[in-house]
Structures are given as C-alpha cells and as structure tokens.
Amino acid sequence: MSVSSRFLLLALALAPVAFAARIGTIPPADALTAERVAVLPVAERTAWQAYLARSEAQRAADRAALAAERQGLVTWPTPPEGGHGEASMPLDKPAAWYGSEAALLVARNMLSYQTPAGGWGKNQPRDRAPRQRGQAYVADNSSKRARPGDFDLAQDAQWSYVGTIDNDATITEIRFLARVAAQFPGEAGGVYRQAAERGLRYLLAAQFPNGGWPQVWPLQGGYHDAITLNDNALVEVAELMGEAAHGEKDLDFLPAGLKAQTAAAEASAVQLLLATQIRVDGRPTLWAQQHDALTLAPASARNYEPPALSSGESARALAYLMSLPNPSPAVVEAVKGGVATLKALAARDRTWVKVDEAQGKRLVAQPGAGPLWARYYDARTLKPVFGDRDKSLHDDVNDLSLERRNGYAWWGTWPLKTLQAYESWALKHSF
C-alpha cells in the first residue's frame, strides 16, 4: 500500500462520523457573467471578456438565423422528437456500413440539425426526418419536474441546450460524420467532412481560456456554464481533440492548421485537469462533476447534485490521463494520487439493491460484497454525501426520498476498470 493510500485510510478512520437526516443545503452554481469577469486580475480579464463576447455574438447569430427562417411562415413546425439519440448514431459498425443508405439517412439528418454555431443538441434520434425550415434546432430538453427556483429550470424553455456536449452530443455527431465521409473520399463526402470540421471548430470556440468546456455553448447560464466533467464530457472532448490532432478515427482529412489547433486544445485540457484535481493536505485526490469556470472550485449542477467529488467521472479522467503518451511527472502524480484515493474509498461488505417496492433501493450490509463507491464525496472530509430533489444534503443515502433513491445511481463500481488498468500502467511509470 502506498504512503498516500495509508494516509487516506487513516484520515477516514479518524474523521468524526455524524449521521443526520439532513446535513446541509445544496447551493446553486454561479453562472459565468461579465460582472464576475470584471473583478479578475487584469492579466486574465481580457481573454475571458473576449470569450463572453464571442458567446453572446454567436447566441444572437443562432437566434437570428432561426428567426429569419420563420419569417413568412403562418405556423412553425413542431420541435423535433426527443429520445435516446446515441442509439441512432452507432460508432461500432463495420466500416462499410457507414456507406450504407441507413448511415446516410442519419448523416443527412445531422447536417440539417447542425446549429449555425456548428454544434448539436442532445437526446435527439438522428434516424428520423430531417429538419424543416423554421423548425427548432433541438428537441425539447426542458425538465418536466422543474419548478420555480429549480436549478434545472431553463431561462428560456424555447432555447435550451442549443449546442451541447452533454450526453455525448456534438462529440458523437462529429465521430459519425467522419466515419461516413471516409466511405466517400471524393466530392460526395465533402458535405460530411465540412460538417465534421465545423463541429470541431465549434468545440474550439466553446473552450474556456483555461482549457475547460461548459456543458452548453453559446453559454446558457446557471450550472451549464461550469466546467463539465459530468458524463465524462470534458474528457471525451479532449480525446476527440487528440484524435483530430493526429488524424485518427477517420479524421485525417482535416487541414494542418486545424490539427494544430486541436492539439493545443487537448494540451490545454490536460493542464486544466491537473489544475482542477482537488488536493487534500497537499495530495491530489479526485475531481467534481462540475467545476466553477473561474475559481475551479467544485460546483453544483441539478438540485440533487452537490459541489462534491465524483468517483465515476474521476475514474474516467484518470483513465484518460493514463492513455497519454509520455506523461509528465505532474500527470503521473495526478494518476497515482487519484488511484490511491479511489482505493482508500472503496466500500466493502455492503450492496446497493432494491429491497422491495415500499423501501426501494437501499444500501444494506452483505458480507463479502463490494467494492462499491459512492457517487459523491465531500471535498474536505472525503465522506460520502447524497442530495435530494429539495436541495437537501445528506450523509446517509437511505435518508433520501424514495423517488431520488430509486432514480439515481448513488453507488456503483465505476472505478474498477481504471484500477485494473492502473496496475500495468504503474509498472511503466514509477518516477
């Protein structure tokens, strides 16, 4: 066992244990605003002001483009159908399939729904009818449970997630279009190559000056403005940037200048990951699902998602860092510290299971079970924490309302694959 692992185990053993139905209230995340940017040091302020201006100009251009389409229309088309979008955009088919009519149907649909900014919305099947003139760019992604004061309440229900990396949106479309374009190396594939390139330029425009990415761009406000590791969004964008830089995964058609830009974007994202990894007593531990764009502190998301460290997203970030060729000493330190933390936090002799209809899911004792990890850990104490829809924070998952206990993955085995991969990686990186 490493020194950092022993330290964390000791810290967890000595930390006071307190159990209560409610230990706090989850605060709202801070949006990225001109007022916040105005108080930054002068050396940082200019880049962030330019970023905000770019976002505002693009949002206005996107909305103006849709308004222009709607001029003269007696009625507007209904918004596109929502649903499980990824299933309609498979990335694991044989190469020849991407030249089929089924793949072309999806690709043409993608072309029609690409926003003027170059991104795509989420939760939208791509094997349906193409977008009509005047139709919204994205499906309705408004939360049906949101009430006044809810963190997930859209500022404009008619304009939400218009360009996002949430749920693999935009990332998946770019990858799919590149596969289709590879089957049409001549003029016929030009429109798909152009759309994929526009998608990459969209992601470059959306990247924060410090290397992170917001969940939605142009900026939407609220927690959507935070650096988003949730659902592995930032890591997957960084991976895509690396593949584009090296012309991998059918992205070899990109111009040299764009490849250089994506290489720089990935390098910046790696530095951002190192900067956002939370340190406890000087030791690198884990990441939060969201980090504030300016302060880099853990940030909240939805009502029940606290500003806490996340085991699943952290495991994925560590796997990404381990995939980097020739990792720097700082990357090696980050990986070793993160892995040591995950090992120390593993819970055993407990299982997360549905007891019955009345009790729903509960964490119960079961000798020999595990390891399990909580989804969230307090960034100071490294104790598990759990949020409810009323924004209450708890230290016992069994205290949550039945609806939230059943409706969220509070415990899981997400880090297992990363911990297994670490064993061979560590042998090669002992410095």
Side-chain angles (χ1 to χ4, degrees):
M1 182 183 294
S2 68
V3 173
S4 54
S5 293
R6 288 197 298 270
F7 169 81
L8 282 169
L9 285 172
L10 179 60
L12 290 171
L14 295 179
V17 179
F19 296 97
R22 181 172 186 152
I23 61 172
T25 300
I26 298 173
D30 290 322
L32 179 57
T33 64
E35 292 75 17
R36 295 187 67 203
V37 168
V39 299
L40 290 175
V42 176
E44 301 175 29
R45 196 181 307 160
T46 301
W48 284 100
Q49 288 174 332
Y51 181 90
L52 284 179
R54 183 167 72 246
S55 173
E56 291 168 4
Q58 187 61 64
R59 189 167 190 260
D62 289 355
R63 299 195 73 143
L66 183 59
E69 285 187 6
R70 289 175 169 174
Q71 285 185 352
L73 295 180
V74 177
T75 59
W76 298 344
T78 58
E81 181 182 353
H84 184 41
E86 281 190 88
S88 67
M89 301 177 280
L91 299 176
D92 57 355
K93 297 285 190 181
W97 182 84
Y98 294 95
S100 70
E101 189 56 38
L104 287 172
L105 170 67
V106 172
R108 295 185 192 113
N109 190 300
M110 289 177 180
L111 296 182
S112 72
Y113 278 103
Q114 190 170 24
T115 70
W120 284 269
K122 67 170 184 173
N123 300 336
Q124 196 169 322
R126 300 297 181 194
D127 54 358
R128 312 296 165 81
R131 178 176 170 271
Q132 305 171 51
R133 175 191 165 195
Q135 190 174 25
Y137 298 119
V138 305
D140 180 7
N141 287 297
S142 299
S143 171
K144 304 303 182 287
R145 291 180 175 270
R147 299 293 182 269
D150 194 297
F151 298 160
D152 211 25
L153 186 67
Q155 295 177 350
D156 183 346
Q158 304 302 315
W159 196 269
S160 186
Y161 290 97
V162 183
T164 183
I165 56 174
D166 192 31
N167 290 359
D168 297 316
T170 300
I171 304 163
T172 304
E173 280 85 353
I174 293 170
R175 293 186 186 281
F176 191 96
L177 289 168
R179 283 163 170 73
V180 170
Q183 298 304 305
F184 300 93
E187 185 177 346
V191 291
Y192 307 117
R193 287 188 288 276
Q194 291 168 13
E197 183 176 331
R198 280 187 63 214
L200 286 167
R201 294 189 186 280
Y202 162 85
L203 293 174
L204 289 171
Q207 189 174 28
F208 287 141
N210 59 18
W213 276 277
Q215 186 190 59
V216 177
W217 196 85
L219 297 177
Q220 183 171 318
Y223 72 82
H224 309 289
D225 293 2
I227 296 167
T228 302
L229 280 76
N230 195 15
D231 290 336
N232 309 313
L234 183 145
V235 167
E236 292 188 6
V237 177
E239 287 178 331
L240 177 61
M241 290 293 161
E243 292 162 4
H246 296 96
E248 300 168 348
K249 302 290 181 69
D250 296 315
L251 290 167
D252 56 313
F253 63 86
L254 299 173
L258 182 55
K259 288 181 178 179
Q261 287 180 277
T262 56
E266 184 188 23
S268 183
V270 170
Q271 293 308 306
L272 183 279
L273 281 175
L274 297 179
T276 49
Q277 188 177 23
I278 299 300
R279 289 179 174 263
V280 176
D281 291 335
R283 295 170 172 81
T285 61
L286 305 178
W287 290 265
Q289 281 188 343
Q290 310 256 140
H291 288 262
D292 185 87
L294 299 179
T295 69
L296 306 187
S300 306
R302 291 174 289 187
N303 284 21
Y304 45 87
E305 295 175 320
L309 307 187
S310 172
S311 60
E313 276 72 11
S314 294
R316 185 67 174 81
L318 292 167
Y320 167 65
L321 292 177
M322 285 193 288
S323 75
L324 298 175
N326 306 312
S328 67
V331 168
V332 172
E333 180 195 25
V335 171
K336 291 186 173 182
V339 166
T341 304
L342 289 174
K343 287 181 176 179
L345 294 175
R348 300 181 185 278
D349 300 320
R350 284 174 283 178
T351 185
W352 174 239
V353 65
K354 181 177 180 180
V355 177
D356 53 39
E357 289 298 329
Q359 298 184 73
K361 288 185 177 179
R362 299 184 72 84
L363 186 69
V364 299
Q366 181 178 315
L372 281 179
W373 286 265
R375 188 177 188 113
Y376 298 114
Y377 293 89
D378 181 271
R380 182 180 59 85
T381 66
L382 297 179
K383 293 287 188 180
V385 290
F386 312 91
D388 217 329
R389 196 173 288 281
D390 64 356
K391 305 174 188 174
S392 60
L393 188 66
H394 303 256
D395 58 12
D396 186 345
V397 70
N398 294 335
D399 285 335
L400 298 181
S401 65
L402 184 63
E403 183 271 328
R404 269 305 78 192
R405 250 188 299 123
N406 288 344
Y408 204 63
W410 293 110
W411 290 88
T413 59
W414 311 286
L416 279 179
K417 186 181 293 186
T418 295
L419 295 181
Q420 291 167 359
Y422 173 77
E423 299 307 318
S424 58
W425 182 90
L427 295 175
K428 303 174 185 176
H429 304 96
S430 57
F431 59 89

